[in-house]
Amino acid sequence: MARAALSANAVVDIALQIVDEGTPAALTLSAVAGRAGVATPSLYKHVSNLAELRELMSARIVNEIADQVGEAVLGRSADEAIRALMTAWRHYAVRNPHRYAALIQSPRPRTAEAGTRLVNIILATLRAYGMEDSAAIHATRCLRAAVHGFAVLEAEGAFGLPEKLDESYDLLIHMMIAGLHAPR
């Protein structure tokens, strides 16, 4: 990459390539600079440090998840939308295991907009169940925990028993949907 083409977005692109090809641990400013063909101090014009770069990456990753989840639920409602949402999120994590592992889970200033976008998609999906306010927030947390937990365990190869993962995930989706229908 030519020095003139370097920008904060380009630095994030390079960082994501490094993570995708290796692991989140492979990400260093030195590795990004080497890939960009610049000296490490040149990166400071675009990102202030590795922590900021990780936040920018996380914002990009959450936006990618929101794009895929949003597209999956479009035109669907209630159970069909929850199934599509959970399936799209899992597929993202499984197709991009290192990128997903690099995601900072706690809210940060640079990830707030992307996080709000994803949460709003989930909240809109939950309206079909009559959920609003704190009930919708609790359900959103449960959905996130279920999808994230399963996806992380799957990506790390932590399910060692012979039963098919797709069947387990279908059961998880069924359990989540049943919970959304449960009287509150």
Side-chain angles (χ1 to χ4, degrees), residues 46-66:
H46 310 289
V47 294
S48 57
N49 53 37
L50 186 58
E52 180 184 18
L53 177 55
R54 289 184 189 278
E55 283 185 39
L56 291 170
M57 285 175 43
S58 287
R60 173 89 61 86
I61 293 165
V62 172
N63 272 316
E64 290 173 352
I65 294 168

Side-chain angles (χ1 to χ4, degrees), residues 55 106-114:
E55 283 185 39
S106 59
R108 302 285 167 89
R110 290 181 178 5
T111 62
E113 185 177 324

Side-chain angles (χ1 to χ4, degrees), residues 121-140:
I121 292 168
I122 299 168
L123 292 172
T125 302
L126 293 171
R127 283 191 205 109
Y129 298 92
M131 290 191 176
E132 295 177 352
D133 305 320
S134 62
I137 297 300
H138 294 307
T140 297

Side-chain angles (χ1 to χ4, degrees), residues 35-100:
R35 181 78 58 99
V38 299
T40 302
S42 297
L43 293 180
Y44 296 121
K45 295 174 187 164
H46 310 289
V47 294
S48 57
N49 53 37
L50 186 58
E52 180 184 18
L53 177 55
R54 289 184 189 278
E55 283 185 39
L56 291 170
M57 285 175 43
S58 287
R60 173 89 61 86
I61 293 165
V62 172
N63 272 316
E64 290 173 352
I65 294 168
D67 287 346
Q68 291 185 17
V69 166
E71 185 176 316
V73 302
L74 194 63
R76 295 180 166 89
S77 68
D79 298 355
E80 187 181 344
I82 293 297
R83 178 172 297 285
L85 180 153
M86 291 179 71
T87 300
W89 196 324
R90 175 188 177 212
H91 284 171
Y92 180 89
V94 170
R95 280 191 314 267
N96 304 285
H98 300 300
R99 188 176 289 215
Y100 193 76

